[in-house]
Amino acid sequence: MSPDTDLILLNGKITTLDRSHPQAEAVVMREGRILFVGSNGDAIAQAAPDARRIDAGGRRVIPGLIDSHMHIIRGGLNYNMELRWDGVRSLGQALEMLRKQVEITPPPQWVRVVGGFTEHQFAEKRLPSLEEINAIAPNTPVFILHLYDRALLNGAALRAVGYTKDTPNPPGGEIIHDAAGNPTGLLVAKPNATILYATLAKGPKLPPEYQKNSTRHFMREVNRLGVTSVIDAGGGFQNYPDDYAIIEQLHRDGEMTVRIAYNLFTQKPKEELADFQGWAKQVKPGQGDDLYRNNGAGEMLVYSAADFEDFQVERPDMPPSMEGDLEPVIRLLAENRWPWRLHATYNETITRALDVFEKVNRDVPLAGLNWFFDHAETITDRNIERIAALGGGIAVQHRMAFQGEYFAERYGHKAAERSPPIRRMLDMGVQVGAGTDATRVASYNPWVSLSWLVTGKTLGGLSLYPTSNRLDREQALRLWTEANTWFSTEPGKKGQIAAGQLADIVVLSDDYFAVPDDAIQDITSVLTLLGGVPVHGEGDFKPLAPALPPAMPDWSPVRRFGGYQERAQAGEKKYAFASLCNCANACNVHGHAHAGAWGTSAPVSDERSFWGALGCACWAF
């Protein structure tokens, strides 16, 4: 479908997020932008006589979602190699997926499960054991990353990376050893994730043509969930310009289906200033076009200011050198009018960073730079005030949906009630936007974030926030659309369904404003338009979007499993658990016929009761 042909989307329940015209039933698009929003009849009258028409069939229509914090460029390079446990609700299912992938992964390739899940989302409330992983994959290297706190490597992976009893612990990380001094396969971040990153980087990479295919598949995966724009937060082992060659080729070839504004992430401790000095000569903020453009610096500005968010360990104190390292970088960025973002989990880190920002501001005013903090789980009202006074913002992510149980255990449920204090930020007039921090911590699914903002619950079901720190559905949606345009310096260009804005529009599978709270996270897109051009379609809309070539290589987990896993309905998923769980021997003793029992159509609660009565711990759905 050509962007040069008028397109009319009719018969929709359109939420425009334009306060002057909040609801509509039709929208006309021309040359990539929105021409008219209103009634069906008026839209037909406004469009050219030969306009293409799409009938939304009464479905909810919203502006394209904007993720203010994702690592989509790095994630795209690796997506086709990754087995995603995002959305999987049982360890039994996760291990079965692992087993099937091991069967088809050729040497010397690895099976990677790289983030996007938490042990709390599993019915069993635990991670797989190293024994389970080794039993499934005695010869194929397996690397499983859980948040930023640990990685599980089987014996084959340990051999592949060369870790032995003589391998020293790197700074900030620990290789766990058994009583004989041999590495067990457990790597722990203490307190930062460098050991996890560095170990993952030892695995095979895809060749460039496969990386291009992989990035296209990842962009289409987020299109499937309604995402049309991303602010890329850089990442470890993502150096500019070397690791941007694939996304820039896709941009030149017209194959991008997501708009990307990218931040540059420094790569070497003690060489951060040199990185930004060099980049300031190569590229300028805003350089590019509406599909691909530079957005400034960060989220890593200096390594001495990086307070990783592993809530299973105590808060790390930043070294005394932090301010001295940070000030020249901030001064350089301010003098060159570079916006920046800074990763900061804890209030203590934010306080020290703000001391530096305020000092620089006295010499080089920061007004108009659209700089911001990422995360800010424990920020105080006083520091929110300081950010507002300097004209900054805060980008929040749903990391607590994955780690809230750990936070509450360490700091208490009262402290967890404002982690982060989103409602307070909004009330105090700070610019606030939402995102995921995908792919290695939280999932890239925006609807999990929207569910968290509305319900205040973790994926494990823990209620974190009182009503006073939860948002209504429209407020949450605004943080995922128009609010995020401030963070890429694009207000008024997108984020609403309004005349003159980019025609980034999503038709939803279910009505976001009508489904039960628990069903928000299950919403997807049935039609995603980028600049008025279909980039994803399902069901009746599928023929509108161009088909992708198959995922490369042919053993890619994406071919078999796709990306985010939909939740199973009661009674739909049946597994032969005796081969998957720790209680296999006990089950055999009891004489449980798992496959036969799971042939029943009994509801989930009855199945749980049945296995619970028999003392069997292996049910998982």
Side-chain angles (χ1 to χ4, degrees):
M1 186 178 293
S2 170
D4 299 326
T5 303
D6 281 9
L7 176 65
I8 315 174
L9 184 66
L10 298 162
N11 298 319
K13 290 190 287 188
I14 301 175
T15 298
T16 68
L17 296 182
D18 176 357
R19 288 183 169 87
S20 67
H21 189 187
Q23 302 292 332
E25 60 181 357
V27 55
V28 181
M29 292 155 269
R30 176 179 294 171
E31 296 179 350
R33 292 188 176 268
I34 296 169
L35 176 68
F36 173 82
V37 183
S39 68
N40 287 330
D42 288 343
I44 292 171
Q46 290 286 332
D50 62 346
R52 295 284 303 274
R53 299 185 185 187
I54 297 176
D55 189 337
R59 292 183 179 275
R60 179 65 61 184
V61 179
I62 63 170
L65 298 177
I66 303 169
D67 191 329
S68 63
H69 186 137
M70 192 200 288
H71 302 272
I72 191 169
I73 296 174
R74 182 184 66 191
L77 298 178
N78 301 294
Y79 177 70
N80 279 4
M81 291 193 295
E82 295 174 355
L83 177 67
R84 304 300 305 185
W85 284 353
D86 306 45
V88 176
R89 296 311 173 99
S90 83
L91 185 57
Q93 180 184 351
L95 290 175
E96 175 69 355
M97 293 169 67
L98 180 64
R99 182 187 65 77
K100 289 180 177 178
Q101 186 58 42
V102 165
E103 289 177 350
I104 63 171
T105 301
Q109 297 295 336
W110 298 10
V111 177
R112 298 164 168 86
V113 181
V114 186
F117 77 98
T118 171
E119 66 175 315
H120 305 293
Q121 76 192 42
F122 295 145
E124 300 88 343
K125 305 297 183 185
R126 69 172 180 89
L127 293 173
S129 68
L130 290 167
E131 291 77 12
E132 287 170 314
I133 299 168
N134 277 299
I136 289 172
N139 300 310
T140 302
V142 172
F143 179 100
I144 299 175
L145 176 69
H146 182 251
L147 308 174
Y148 274 154
D149 61 52
R150 67 196 58 212
L152 305 175
L153 281 68
N154 67 345
L158 285 173
R159 294 190 294 273
V161 300
Y163 290 169
T164 69
K165 63 171 58 178
D166 299 320
T167 305
N169 287 328
E174 184 176 356
I175 302 171
I176 303 300
H177 296 79
D178 62 20
N182 296 308
T184 64
L186 176 62
L187 309 181
V188 178
K190 283 192 173 183
N192 66 60
T194 301
I195 186 175
L196 312 182
Y197 270 142
T199 304
L200 181 59
K202 293 176 182 290
K205 295 182 179 180
L206 293 175
E209 191 60 27
Y210 287 20
Q211 289 181 334
K212 181 180 176 182
N213 175 279
S214 177
T215 301
R216 292 184 65 192
H217 274 271
F218 189 36
M219 288 193 293
R220 287 287 286 267
E221 167 71 354
V222 300
N223 293 155
R224 185 182 69 83
L225 297 167
V227 174
T228 55
S229 292
V230 166
I231 307 176
D232 185 274
F237 296 88
Q238 186 183 332
N239 197 30
Y240 184 85
D242 301 351
D243 296 316
Y244 290 70
I246 297 299
I247 195 67
E248 291 184 353
Q249 181 184 355
L250 289 168
H251 179 235
R252 288 193 302 270
D253 294 345
E255 294 181 320
M256 289 181 61
T257 61
V258 175
R259 304 184 193 277
I260 298 177
Y262 62 93
N263 286 73
L264 296 183
F265 183 114
T266 187
Q267 296 295 311
K268 297 179 181 178
K270 303 302 181 184
E271 297 182 27
E272 300 97 337
L273 181 61
D275 266 345
F276 291 116
Q277 287 172 332
W279 289 333
K281 297 174 183 177
Q282 297 178 54
V283 64
K284 297 183 182 300
Q287 182 174 317
D289 56 28
D290 290 337
L291 271 176
Y292 181 71
R293 58 196 295 275
N294 180 267
N295 197 52
E299 66 183 290
M300 182 73 79
L301 296 179
V302 296
Y303 277 79
S304 56
D307 63 348
F308 291 92
E309 76 295 346
D310 182 359
F311 299 131
Q312 295 195 76
V313 300
E314 63 278 2
R315 175 184 63 83
D317 283 318
M318 299 300 94
S321 65
M322 172 183 159
E323 288 84 352
D325 296 337
L326 187 59
E327 183 181 339
V329 171
I330 297 300
R331 194 169 293 276
L332 173 76
L333 296 174
E335 289 171 348
N336 285 276
R337 308 309 293 169
W338 270 56
W340 70 82
R341 63 192 309 160
L342 178 62
H343 168 112
T345 301
Y346 297 100
N347 187 69
E348 290 81 356
T349 307
I350 294 169
T351 296
R352 293 175 63 181
L354 284 170
D355 290 343
V356 173
F357 297 175
E358 289 168 345
K359 181 179 179 181
V360 172
N361 181 65
R362 288 192 286 270
D363 302 323
V364 187
L366 306 184
L369 271 185
N370 290 34
W371 63 270
F372 55 97
F373 285 104
D374 282 302
H375 316 312
E377 274 84 2
T378 70
I379 192 170
T380 61
D381 284 5
R382 172 59 186 138
N383 278 341
I384 298 173
E385 290 175 353
R386 296 172 72 190
I387 293 170
L390 288 175
I394 303 172
V396 298
Q397 300 80 37
H398 61 312
R399 303 191 308 179
M400 289 294 290
F402 292 76
Q403 304 181 77
E405 286 85 353
Y406 298 142
F407 187 98
E409 183 178 352
R410 176 166 293 276
Y411 298 109
H413 287 273
K414 189 65 179 176
E417 289 182 354
R418 47 173 289 148
S419 56
I422 301 169
R423 173 78 76 167
R424 188 67 176 143
M425 295 172 185
L426 291 168
D427 291 345
M428 295 177 72
V430 172
Q431 298 285 347
V432 181
T436 60
D437 198 11
T439 57
R440 294 183 179 175
V441 179
S443 173
Y444 52 78
N445 189 337
W447 299 102
V448 178
S449 170
L450 284 156
S451 175
W452 166 74
L453 290 167
V454 170
T455 69
K457 291 183 178 181
T458 70
L459 278 174
L462 177 66
S463 293
L464 291 174
Y465 309 140
T467 303
S468 59
N469 196 33
R470 300 200 299 265
L471 306 183
D472 65 39
R473 297 192 190 197
E474 182 177 318
Q475 289 173 319
L477 185 60
R478 286 186 185 277
L479 293 196
W480 265 93
T481 49
E482 63 166 344
N484 274 341
T485 63
W486 182 90
F487 294 83
S488 59
T489 322
E490 298 175 288
K493 182 177 287 187
K494 55 187 177 182
Q496 298 173 319
I497 299 178
Q501 294 206 10
L502 294 168
D504 300 347
I505 296 173
V506 177
V507 181
L508 299 179
S509 62
D510 299 280
D511 190 342
Y512 167 67
F513 290 99
V515 298
D517 283 353
D518 185 58
I520 293 174
Q521 61 189 287
D522 299 320
I523 294 173
T524 60
S525 167
V526 294
L527 177 65
T528 303
L529 303 174
L530 185 78
V533 177
V535 293
H536 164 75
E538 290 288 346
D540 292 341
F541 302 103
K542 188 171 184 177
L544 299 177
L548 275 179
M552 301 164 64
D554 58 8
W555 51 264
S556 169
V558 174
R559 287 201 179 195
R560 172 167 281 189
F561 300 107
Y564 193 88
Q565 302 295 302
E566 295 183 4
R567 285 196 289 179
Q569 299 299 314
E572 285 185 0
K573 293 292 186 182
K574 302 175 178 67
Y575 299 98
F577 288 108
S579 65
L580 297 177
C581 64
N582 279 338
C583 64
N585 291 336
C587 292
N588 290 336
V589 170
H590 287 301
H592 299 169
H594 284 74
W598 276 91
T600 180
S601 60
V604 168
S605 58
D606 288 344
E607 290 167 342
R608 289 183 177 181
S609 300
F610 173 67
W611 293 117
L614 292 171
C616 175
C618 69
W619 55 265
F621 30 82

